[in-house]
Amino acid sequence: MSDEMIYLDNAATTAMKPEVFEAMKPYFMENYGNPSSVYRFAGTAKKAVEDAREEIAKALNAKSSGEIYFTGGGSEADNWAIKAAAESCRDKGRHIITTKIEHHAVLHTTEWLERNGYEVTYLNVDEDGLISLEELEQAIRPDTILMSIMFANNEIGTIEPIKEIGEIARRHGVLFHTDAVQAFGHVPIDVQEMNIDMLSASAHKLHGPKGIGFLYLRNGIKIGALLHGGGQERSRRAGTHNVPGIVGIAEATRLAMANMAANAKRETEIRDYLISRIENEIPYVRVNGHREKRLPNNVNVCFRFIEGESLLILLDQQGICASSGSACTSGSLDPSHVLLAIGLIHEIAHGSLRLTLSEETTKEDIDYVVDNLKTIVEKLRSMSPLYDDFVKKESEGK
Ligand SMILES: *Cc1c(COP(=O)(O)O)cnc(C)c1O
């Protein structure tokens, strides 16, 4: 067992930055006032919340900070956007378009809507994980009320053509929501230029605290409240503000935006170095996701003749935190819906490994990981009867 830990699961969550923690600290014990109160003491908390809203609005190029609604994270923002849009447009129609590769926060929400009288089209993706704009346009019907298409995929890192999708949405008068949880703070987003009506994001995917996120909701879009109660968030999301969390997401956003170009450049270089070492040094691998239209920090590969779960356990023994595409969280043995959607057969999809970097990841980390990966893959393959058969057939010239 190794002492050092190499954390390569930044798509699952990230380490909070010390600056973020420092910014949050005064809002636990000193400035604990309720931002909705009138006395001056609470004014500090109220100002912090409104400044945070400004910071986020600026990062998205939103027209006003009033378009930012704080939520308890990305899943909550996704649920709200989709359910409330479906509910408020019910009289216009009951058809929704999304994709086969969305996060479960979107997919399980649209499935719930299907059980409640809505119809949902799940768009296919190509072998790189990109939707087809033609297929999207053909899927639009007179009763289509919403399209929810993710900005960047959390498993394979592919970035969808958001600006073009926004143009189609506008042309047809359909609301456009995007789950930008993996993209926000990592790649540039402009809600005006991209014609995004609703956007979800979450702090803990950009070195902020867990349990805080937001929904961007374009001015003039009438969707209902998520939580009923007090008048917080313009009566749309009741509940006393999570002031430390809100301060944390704003500081995480500020830092991410200030360093975005430099971080992306650095991560892209290290990502491509990792991909090329794997491809050059380990046989029978497939790199998943689009090569260029890709998050700077995402690597996803399938190793044939191997179970992703076994790989994770052996990597963990060497101090490496990674993740696999199989739905280990649900205890199910089904391979990832994303890997199946890009056309992989079960057998190959099972051998997937996702390594997601942060700006702290070094070339030395990557060398350590690849060196271990080579040994582990070899070891697991040597125990695989399938691999044995395969090698025999290869050597006999098939
Ligand atoms: C992590 C993630 C979510 C969920 O966000 P939480 O804040 O953890 O609820 C939703 N969508 C995508 C694409 C994600 O990566």
Short mmCIF file of all heavy atoms in Angstrom, two decimals, residues 11-12 72-76 78 103 105 150 152-154 179-182 201-205 211-212, ligand 1:
data_model
loop_
_atom_site.label_atom_id
_atom_site.label_comp_id
_atom_site.label_asym_id
_atom_site.label_seq_id
_atom_site.Cartn_x
_atom_site.Cartn_y
_atom_site.Cartn_z
N ALA A 11 -14.06 14.64 -11.59
CA ALA A 11 -15.41 14.76 -12.15
C ALA A 11 -16.44 14.33 -11.10
O ALA A 11 -17.61 14.67 -11.19
CB ALA A 11 -15.56 13.92 -13.41
N ALA A 12 -15.99 13.57 -10.10
CA ALA A 12 -16.90 13.14 -9.02
C ALA A 12 -17.03 14.25 -7.99
O ALA A 12 -18.12 14.59 -7.55
CB ALA A 12 -16.39 11.87 -8.37
N GLY A 72 -29.45 23.80 -3.80
CA GLY A 72 -28.62 22.89 -3.02
C GLY A 72 -27.71 22.01 -3.88
O GLY A 72 -27.33 20.92 -3.44
N GLY A 73 -27.38 22.43 -5.08
CA GLY A 73 -26.44 21.68 -5.92
C GLY A 73 -26.94 21.50 -7.34
O GLY A 73 -27.98 22.07 -7.73
N GLY A 74 -26.21 20.69 -8.09
CA GLY A 74 -26.52 20.48 -9.51
C GLY A 74 -27.77 19.65 -9.73
O GLY A 74 -28.59 19.96 -10.59
N SER A 75 -27.93 18.59 -8.94
CA SER A 75 -29.10 17.73 -9.11
C SER A 75 -30.38 18.52 -8.88
O SER A 75 -31.36 18.37 -9.62
CB SER A 75 -29.06 16.56 -8.12
OG SER A 75 -27.89 15.80 -8.31
N GLU A 76 -30.34 19.36 -7.86
CA GLU A 76 -31.53 20.16 -7.54
C GLU A 76 -31.85 21.13 -8.68
O GLU A 76 -33.02 21.27 -9.08
CB GLU A 76 -31.31 20.91 -6.23
CG GLU A 76 -32.56 21.65 -5.79
CD GLU A 76 -32.35 22.45 -4.51
OE1 GLU A 76 -31.85 21.90 -3.51
OE2 GLU A 76 -32.71 23.64 -4.52
N ASP A 78 -31.08 20.81 -11.86
CA ASP A 78 -31.58 20.03 -13.00
C ASP A 78 -33.05 19.65 -12.79
O ASP A 78 -33.88 19.81 -13.69
CB ASP A 78 -30.76 18.73 -13.16
CG ASP A 78 -29.39 18.98 -13.80
OD1 ASP A 78 -29.20 20.04 -14.42
OD2 ASP A 78 -28.52 18.08 -13.68
N HIS A 103 -26.61 13.10 -17.37
CA HIS A 103 -26.44 12.66 -15.98
C HIS A 103 -27.79 12.15 -15.48
O HIS A 103 -28.84 12.59 -15.96
CB HIS A 103 -26.00 13.87 -15.15
CG HIS A 103 -25.58 13.56 -13.76
ND1 HIS A 103 -26.48 13.48 -12.72
CD2 HIS A 103 -24.36 13.31 -13.23
CE1 HIS A 103 -25.83 13.21 -11.60
NE2 HIS A 103 -24.55 13.10 -11.87
N ALA A 105 -29.36 12.91 -12.94
CA ALA A 105 -30.19 13.99 -12.41
C ALA A 105 -31.17 14.48 -13.47
O ALA A 105 -32.27 14.95 -13.16
CB ALA A 105 -29.33 15.14 -11.90
N MET A 150 -26.91 18.41 -22.22
CA MET A 150 -25.79 18.74 -21.35
C MET A 150 -24.68 19.48 -22.08
O MET A 150 -24.47 19.28 -23.28
CB MET A 150 -25.26 17.50 -20.63
CG MET A 150 -24.47 16.54 -21.47
SD MET A 150 -24.30 14.89 -20.69
CE MET A 150 -23.93 15.24 -18.99
N ALA A 152 -21.30 19.46 -21.20
CA ALA A 152 -20.16 18.55 -21.35
C ALA A 152 -20.46 17.30 -20.55
O ALA A 152 -21.01 17.38 -19.45
CB ALA A 152 -18.88 19.20 -20.86
N ASN A 153 -20.09 16.15 -21.10
CA ASN A 153 -20.43 14.89 -20.45
C ASN A 153 -19.49 14.57 -19.31
O ASN A 153 -18.27 14.69 -19.43
CB ASN A 153 -20.45 13.76 -21.48
CG ASN A 153 -20.93 12.46 -20.89
OD1 ASN A 153 -20.13 11.67 -20.41
ND2 ASN A 153 -22.23 12.28 -20.84
N ASN A 154 -20.06 14.10 -18.20
CA ASN A 154 -19.28 13.82 -17.00
C ASN A 154 -18.46 12.55 -17.10
O ASN A 154 -17.51 12.36 -16.35
CB ASN A 154 -20.18 13.77 -15.78
CG ASN A 154 -21.41 12.92 -16.00
OD1 ASN A 154 -22.22 13.19 -16.90
ND2 ASN A 154 -21.57 11.88 -15.21
N ASP A 179 -27.33 21.22 -18.61
CA ASP A 179 -26.63 20.80 -17.40
C ASP A 179 -25.15 21.10 -17.64
O ASP A 179 -24.48 20.40 -18.39
CB ASP A 179 -26.87 19.30 -17.17
CG ASP A 179 -26.05 18.75 -16.01
OD1 ASP A 179 -25.06 19.38 -15.61
OD2 ASP A 179 -26.40 17.65 -15.52
N ALA A 180 -24.69 22.20 -17.02
CA ALA A 180 -23.31 22.63 -17.25
C ALA A 180 -22.44 22.34 -16.02
O ALA A 180 -21.43 23.01 -15.80
CB ALA A 180 -23.29 24.11 -17.60
N VAL A 181 -22.83 21.34 -15.24
CA VAL A 181 -22.11 21.06 -13.99
C VAL A 181 -20.63 20.77 -14.25
O VAL A 181 -19.77 21.22 -13.50
CB VAL A 181 -22.78 19.93 -13.19
CG1 VAL A 181 -21.95 19.55 -11.98
CG2 VAL A 181 -24.19 20.33 -12.76
N GLN A 182 -20.31 20.04 -15.33
CA GLN A 182 -18.90 19.73 -15.60
C GLN A 182 -18.19 20.87 -16.34
O GLN A 182 -16.96 20.90 -16.38
CB GLN A 182 -18.79 18.45 -16.45
CG GLN A 182 -19.18 17.19 -15.72
CD GLN A 182 -18.19 16.78 -14.63
OE1 GLN A 182 -17.00 17.12 -14.66
NE2 GLN A 182 -18.68 16.06 -13.64
N ALA A 201 -25.47 24.44 -12.43
CA ALA A 201 -24.05 24.25 -12.06
C ALA A 201 -23.96 23.94 -10.57
O ALA A 201 -24.94 24.10 -9.83
CB ALA A 201 -23.23 25.48 -12.41
N SER A 202 -22.79 23.47 -10.17
CA SER A 202 -22.59 23.01 -8.80
C SER A 202 -21.19 23.36 -8.32
O SER A 202 -20.22 23.18 -9.05
CB SER A 202 -22.77 21.49 -8.77
OG SER A 202 -22.57 20.99 -7.48
N ALA A 203 -21.08 23.87 -7.07
CA ALA A 203 -19.80 24.38 -6.58
C ALA A 203 -18.74 23.30 -6.40
O ALA A 203 -17.56 23.53 -6.65
CB ALA A 203 -20.02 25.10 -5.25
N HIS A 204 -19.15 22.10 -5.96
CA HIS A 204 -18.12 21.11 -5.61
C HIS A 204 -17.41 20.51 -6.80
O HIS A 204 -16.47 19.73 -6.65
CB HIS A 204 -18.70 20.03 -4.67
CG HIS A 204 -19.55 18.99 -5.33
ND1 HIS A 204 -19.06 17.74 -5.64
CD2 HIS A 204 -20.83 19.00 -5.74
CE1 HIS A 204 -20.03 17.02 -6.20
NE2 HIS A 204 -21.11 17.77 -6.27
N LYS A 205 -17.82 20.88 -8.03
CA LYS A 205 -17.10 20.42 -9.21
C LYS A 205 -16.05 21.46 -9.64
O LYS A 205 -15.36 21.26 -10.63
CB LYS A 205 -18.06 20.13 -10.36
CG LYS A 205 -19.15 19.09 -10.05
CD LYS A 205 -18.64 17.66 -9.99
CE LYS A 205 -19.68 16.65 -9.55
NZ LYS A 205 -20.59 16.22 -10.58
N GLY A 211 -23.07 20.76 -1.75
CA GLY A 211 -24.41 21.17 -1.30
C GLY A 211 -24.81 22.58 -1.69
O GLY A 211 -25.74 23.13 -1.12
N ILE A 212 -24.12 23.17 -2.65
CA ILE A 212 -24.55 24.49 -3.15
C ILE A 212 -24.34 24.54 -4.67
O ILE A 212 -23.33 24.06 -5.18
CB ILE A 212 -23.80 25.66 -2.44
CG1 ILE A 212 -24.30 27.03 -2.92
CG2 ILE A 212 -22.29 25.55 -2.60
CD1 ILE A 212 -25.56 27.50 -2.27
C1 LIG B 1 -22.03 16.00 -10.47
C2 LIG B 1 -23.02 16.24 -11.55
C3 LIG B 1 -24.36 16.55 -11.26
C4 LIG B 1 -24.89 16.56 -9.85
O1 LIG B 1 -24.46 17.69 -9.13
P1 LIG B 1 -24.59 17.65 -7.51
O2 LIG B 1 -24.19 19.01 -7.09
O3 LIG B 1 -23.64 16.60 -7.04
O4 LIG B 1 -26.00 17.35 -7.21
C5 LIG B 1 -25.23 16.78 -12.31
N1 LIG B 1 -24.80 16.74 -13.58
C6 LIG B 1 -23.53 16.47 -13.91
C7 LIG B 1 -23.12 16.47 -15.34
C8 LIG B 1 -22.60 16.21 -12.91
O5 LIG B 1 -21.34 15.92 -13.24
#
